[in-house]
Amino acid sequence: ILQPLCLAFVSIGFLFGALSAGLFQYSNVHPPHAISSLSIVALIGILLIFKYGLPNKLETFEKAEKFRFPEKKILLFGLYGFIFFATSGIIGDWSALWFSRDLKTTALVASLAVTAWGAGESIGRLSGAKLIELTNQKFVGIYMGIFGCVILFISILIYNPYLILFSILIFAFCVANFYPIVVRYALSQTTESLNTTASNLVTLSMSGLLIGPAIVSYSASTMGLTFNVQILCGLWIINSLALLFTVRKIT
């Protein structure tokens, strides 16, 4: 239940990071000063978490389990999460460069690509619980994502940077709850403890943030960033259809 809300605040942090970067660039802040100020903000955040984080009385402490490979079906859900974060990392890390280099926009418009992504994700995840209540998990986690992919792909073919900006916003809103839905389905199928399963899922999924952008850094030099974003849309549709197939088998 808390997954969409938790990730919503991750997206909000991403959004404020993009807005701060644009503000620093607009104000011509010296980079060491910008990094120093962000370090202070990070330290304040750590102190706030330490003071106001989840109280010990509300936590569930279990005996640590010995390391073992996750169940096969959890590995499959972890793969879906891995692809999600790998492709999300492409948008987060490379969209600004894509706009400035391939679409020939100004630095301001390029920074708006990251802002659009963060805004769409934030809105989508904050409204995730309500959307699931009004429809169902399959619609919110899968069908909306496929619709967002189609919209983004069409906008890339039209090749108008402002239309692409709006499409990124729609795309981010539509796919925002894919990972929380993956977690919900995985936890409903596991025979292991929920803590172990959740840890395995997070580890498998988050590793996509390390690998996805790194792969693009190589392929962009040979095939271009526009081609990579088009491939991203195809990968996301395949990932959504694969999850749909898995969900139909277990329900």
Side-chain angles (χ1 to χ4, degrees), residues 118-135:
E121 266 200 335
S122 301
I123 297 169
R125 286 172 175 168
L126 285 173
S127 58
K130 189 65 177 178
L131 289 171
I132 293 172
E133 181 183 330
L134 293 173
T135 56

Side-chain angles (χ1 to χ4, degrees), residues 102-182:
D102 287 22
L103 300 175
K104 309 298 181 183
T105 66
T106 63
L108 176 61
V109 175
S111 66
L112 289 177
V114 183
T115 305
W117 173 260
E121 266 200 335
S122 301
I123 297 169
R125 286 172 175 168
L126 285 173
S127 58
K130 189 65 177 178
L131 289 171
I132 293 172
E133 181 183 330
L134 293 173
T135 56
N136 55 60
Q137 292 187 146
K138 197 181 298 182
F139 178 82
V140 174
I142 300 174
Y143 293 121
M144 282 182 59
I146 294 174
F147 173 77
C149 289
V150 172
I151 293 296
L152 180 60
F153 186 79
I154 292 173
S155 71
I156 295 171
L157 294 179
I158 297 173
Y159 216 66
N160 181 292
Y162 297 101
L163 179 60
I164 293 175
L165 272 179
F166 181 72
S167 298
I168 289 176
L169 179 70
I170 299 299
F171 176 65
F173 173 81
C174 289
V175 303
N177 293 293
F178 179 88
Y179 178 67
I181 296 299
V182 166

Side-chain angles (χ1 to χ4, degrees), residues 14-36:
F14 186 86
L15 173 60
F16 273 88
L19 293 173
S20 299
L23 180 62
F24 286 148
Q25 187 177 36
Y26 178 78
S27 304
N28 291 320
V29 177
H30 191 45
H33 295 163
I35 294 173
S36 299

